[in-house]
Amino acid sequence: MERDARVQSAITNWAPRFVANGIDVNDFTRVTNSIERWDAWCQTWADCGAIHEQLGADAEASGYYETAGEHYFHAAMCYHFGKYLFVQDPRQLRNAHEHVVRDYQRALPYFLFPGERVSIPYEGGSTMYGILRKPWHTPRPPVVILVPGLDSVKEELHVYGEDFLRRGMAVLAIDGPGQGEMEFEHAMRHDYEVPIRYAIDYLERRPDVDARRVGLMGVSFGGHYVVRAAAFEKRIKATIENCGAYNQLENFRGRPQLSRDTMVFRLKATSEEEAVKRLEQFSLQGVAGCVEGPLLVIQGGQDGLVSPEHGKRIAAEAGANAELWFFADGNHVCNNIPYKHRPQQADWMRKQLS
């Protein structure tokens, strides 16, 4: 089968991420083997998501709630990976997005660590949405705010959250401007300390978590964001940055076309030229050195989306506060070797927040 170049690009660049973040490897193989043209990508994944939705509903009706939660989660991930880069058809993207939010919310009560969808007041009277999950074995736990990247969403960070929860930390996964539930009305913004400030303000109003001990973890573009946020939001105690770009403008031209199109869309730009101009603000030069708390930088040596030099520059500028975990065999976000860094980063964060 001769695939559309965009289909092959999605498979080549992101296959390990699908499996590491919740897609069954059998679903991945079956779905991607059936897609020849990019125009069919979103709908084919939606068809897979619909199968899991029905299996979840059947299990729920029979009182098999653990099974229902598993299927609803798989459904949410299928819909998400159908729409994550599918910006050429906003109608399909929006429809799949609504399934992501709804299916994950249906799964929330049935997880080993259940959660709640929370509404966080945001500037201009708007709302930022998050998923708060707490460890049932720890009273007033510290909280790790999980930040998605350019084409990820709060729901995709579910598996990351499990590691923190098992170690007695709560997690608040958010969609910031240009992400998930905020991608339709809000453009991406370089000053991500603003949404983080609103998130911490919200946590401070909750008596069931310890907002004096808040950490950040961000992946890909979210890695860039958390370094920026930690530099200016001094309530952050520790930060984990995974494969974020030091300078997003420098990184833009080398990304696959699918990724560049997505960045234009989520910046609310009308062209690549306009996106390039806006990306001038997305740099950590003179910023990374302002991070006062511990900073863990995770970087893959085989990263084909963000040059490994970006992670090294972030760590170097942050200086003594930074610790660099460089994995020579790691791809983008080191999704091909999650066992080498995900449990270990949770151990690192628990130590910092204890």
Side-chain angles (χ1 to χ4, degrees):
M1 178 177 67
E2 184 176 352
R3 289 193 178 102
D4 182 314
R6 290 174 293 179
V7 174
Q8 191 58 57
S9 177
I11 295 170
T12 300
N13 287 297
W14 291 284
R17 168 182 167 188
F18 282 57
V19 178
N21 291 346
I23 293 292
D24 184 278
V25 66
N26 301 290
D27 281 345
F28 178 80
T29 300
R30 176 175 54 81
V31 171
T32 56
N33 282 348
S34 71
I35 302 174
E36 295 185 32
R37 314 303 300 172
W38 180 247
D39 288 347
W41 180 272
C42 189
Q43 185 57 55
T44 308
W45 276 107
D47 293 342
C48 186
I51 292 171
H52 285 289
E53 279 181 329
Q54 187 58 57
L55 289 169
D58 292 345
E60 190 173 33
S62 299
Y64 301 133
Y65 301 118
E66 296 88 351
T67 301
E70 290 179 17
H71 281 297
Y72 286 142
F73 171 66
H74 282 299
M77 291 303 95
C78 287
Y79 282 108
H80 164 60
F81 282 113
K83 55 81 71 171
Y84 77 130
L85 297 168
F86 206 74
V87 298
Q88 84 274 13
D89 189 337
R91 181 192 61 81
Q92 283 194 65
L93 186 152
R94 184 79 182 242
N95 182 63
H97 156 81
E98 291 171 357
H99 280 272
V100 175
V101 173
R102 181 172 67 247
D103 287 331
Y104 190 83
Q105 196 167 348
R106 293 167 81 179
L108 268 177
Y110 306 140
F111 293 138
L112 178 60
F113 297 102
E116 61 178 304
R117 171 182 162 86
V118 299
S119 301
I120 301 169
Y122 187 66
E123 63 184 19
S126 58
T127 302
M128 184 168 67
Y129 293 101
I131 300 294
L132 178 65
R133 300 171 68 204
K134 297 175 296 182
W136 39 262
H137 56 293
T138 307
R140 291 200 75 234
V143 187
V144 183
I145 300 175
L146 307 180
V147 178
L150 170 68
D151 49 54
S152 53
V153 293
K154 61 186 182 301
E155 291 83 3
E156 191 189 340
L157 300 177
H158 173 87
V159 179
Y160 286 93
E162 297 286 289
D163 287 324
F164 296 109
L165 287 157
R166 284 193 292 267
R167 290 160 178 78
M169 293 167 278
V171 292
L172 174 65
I174 63 171
D175 285 329
Q179 299 168 316
E181 295 196 70
M182 294 190 82
E183 74 176 272
F184 302 102
E185 297 177 1
H186 298 268
M188 298 164 60
R189 60 186 298 170
H190 75 284
D191 52 345
Y192 207 87
E193 66 272 17
V194 176
I196 293 299
R197 182 178 75 237
Y198 282 102
I200 298 176
D201 288 348
Y202 168 80
L203 291 171
E204 287 182 337
R205 294 193 291 271
R206 293 192 63 120
D208 54 344
V209 296
D210 187 354
R212 298 169 301 173
R213 296 184 291 158
V214 175
L216 286 182
M217 188 217 74
V219 296
S220 192
F221 213 121
H224 171 101
Y225 280 147
V226 296
V227 176
R228 166 82 197 201
F232 295 102
E233 174 49 76
K234 299 307 181 183
R235 289 176 290 181
I236 299 300
K237 302 303 181 187
T239 304
I240 300 172
E241 184 280 310
N242 189 330
C243 290
Y246 176 87
N247 186 304
Q248 295 292 351
L249 178 58
E250 289 180 11
N251 190 57
F252 179 77
R253 293 296 186 191
R255 295 182 73 92
Q257 187 63 51
L258 277 173
S259 192
R260 297 201 303 273
D261 291 345
T262 302
M263 200 170 296
V264 171
F265 180 82
R266 295 195 168 122
L267 282 166
K268 306 298 183 197
T270 58
S271 64
E272 284 199 6
E273 289 70 26
E274 184 180 345
V276 164
K277 186 171 183 58
R278 295 189 186 186
L279 286 172
E280 291 175 356
Q281 295 180 296
F282 289 77
S283 173
L284 297 177
Q285 184 175 5
V287 173
C290 297
V291 177
E292 295 178 358
L295 170 64
L296 174 59
V297 178
I298 298 173
Q299 182 63 56
Q302 303 301 315
D303 192 335
L305 297 172
V306 176
S307 167
E309 295 306 310
H310 285 260
K312 294 177 181 178
R313 289 166 71 185
I314 292 171
E317 185 168 314
N321 290 330
E323 184 176 347
L324 175 64
W325 290 2
F326 186 85
F327 297 96
D329 56 342
N331 71 352
H332 186 52
V333 193
C334 296
N335 282 317
N336 62 326
I337 50 168
Y339 53 88
K340 289 187 177 181
H341 63 94
R342 289 193 185 181
Q344 294 86 350
Q345 72 172 7
D347 293 335
W348 181 91
M349 182 62 80
R350 177 169 60 181
K351 180 179 179 181
Q352 309 309 319
L353 298 184
S354 64

